[in-house]
Amino acid sequence: MKFFVDTAEIDAIAELNDLGMVDGVTTNPSLIMKSGRDILEVTKEICELVDGPVSAEVVAMDSDAMIAEGRKLAEIAENITVKVPLTWDGLKACKVLSGEGKMVNVTLCFSANQALLAAKAGATFISPFIGRLDDMALDGLELIDDIRTVYDNYGFETEILAASIRSVNHVLECARIGADVMTAPPNVIKALASHPLTDKGLAAFMADWEKTGQKIL
Ligand code: G3P
């Protein structure tokens, strides 16, 4: 499963990227707002830092304007993925932009039927939002599973980019189901390394090592 990092914070992306943990980046208008940066500038910096796909989201509501914004965003770098919302206009923009050879990420997906439409419109990635379904007492992971089944039934090549990931358990379950990609905030990716038994075991090793009085260096 590929790891995308869901942030527009350069330092956080760089730290994970240095460890080889970043296969791509996703941003959205809320993340750009949080960064306090200009969208074109910060997206260019991210694209220079990371080799993989970098999603930058259009903000227009009608397809013609989305297409124009998508073309402008795609000029930033070769690894830009134009992100469009899963609306009828977004699907029209997806069809046109993917037809021009641009990578397109269709976002705000909350049903397998929506994911089916995005695949038929030529999406490179579909972004189903797990956490926001869980917030409504629905089952976000079930949606990932449903989309996996539907795409596999017909051999769609659109990659399932599991988004709105809030916990390490979401990451594990996405990997079990077979999501192609998961995008998570930096703190969730870093939390994957933590386990209380690792901390406990390390403390015991250090206590015993202290008793030996030895040094390695
Ligand atoms: O990739 C989409 C993600 O940013 C949404 O996450 O936690 O705001 O639902 P969240």
Side-chain angles (χ1 to χ4, degrees):
M1 185 167 66
K2 284 178 266 190
F3 276 24
F4 286 6
V5 59
D6 197 30
T7 185
E9 303 294 335
I10 294 285
D11 290 349
I13 297 167
E15 184 189 2
L16 291 167
N17 195 45
D18 286 348
L19 275 173
M21 299 295 174
V22 178
D23 300 304
V25 174
T26 50
T27 66
N28 61 39
S30 302
L31 295 172
I32 296 293
M33 184 272 293
K34 270 190 212 157
S35 77
R37 300 282 314 275
D38 173 84
I39 183 172
L40 299 178
E41 280 177 21
V42 74
T43 307
K44 187 167 189 288
E45 279 178 42
I46 297 170
C47 288
E48 285 165 358
L49 193 63
V50 171
D51 291 333
V54 174
S55 288
E57 190 160 340
V58 302
V59 290
M61 299 297 281
D62 71 277
S63 59
D64 286 344
M66 282 183 197
I67 292 163
E69 288 181 355
R71 287 176 180 150
K72 179 162 182 176
L73 291 170
E75 281 172 9
I76 295 172
E78 290 216 332
N79 52 337
I80 282 288
T81 300
V82 180
K83 205 171 178 188
V84 299
L86 211 156
T87 58
W88 204 248
D89 280 277
L91 291 169
K92 284 185 196 169
C94 175
K95 179 74 180 157
V96 171
L97 293 167
S98 61
E100 293 173 358
K102 297 172 177 59
M103 292 187 285
V104 180
N105 175 0
V106 180
T107 190
L108 291 167
C109 170
F110 294 95
S111 80
N113 278 336
Q114 288 181 317
L116 185 54
L117 292 177
K120 291 177 84 68
T124 317
F125 300 104
I126 182 69
S127 288
F129 277 29
I130 297 173
R132 292 191 193 184
L133 283 168
D134 289 0
D135 288 345
M136 298 182 68
L138 297 168
D139 189 345
L141 289 165
E142 190 177 35
L143 173 60
I144 305 296
D145 203 16
D146 282 348
I147 298 172
R148 181 75 285 156
T149 301
V150 169
Y151 280 9
D152 288 351
N153 280 349
Y154 300 101
F156 285 116
E157 289 180 4
T158 299
E159 294 191 40
I160 301 173
L161 196 174
S164 186
I165 282 187
R166 309 267 180 80
S167 68
V168 292
N169 196 46
H170 280 160
V171 177
L172 175 60
E173 291 304 323
C174 283
R176 280 203 174 116
I177 291 165
D180 300 287
V181 190
M182 73 89 199
T183 189
N187 64 315
V188 172
I189 295 177
K190 289 178 91 170
L192 295 172
S194 299
H195 197 287
L197 289 178
T198 304
D199 297 341
K200 191 178 169 196
L202 188 58
F205 285 158
M206 290 305 100
D208 288 343
W209 180 248
E210 187 74 19
K211 289 176 201 154
T212 70
Q214 299 179 41
K215 286 194 183 337
I216 294 175
L217 290 175

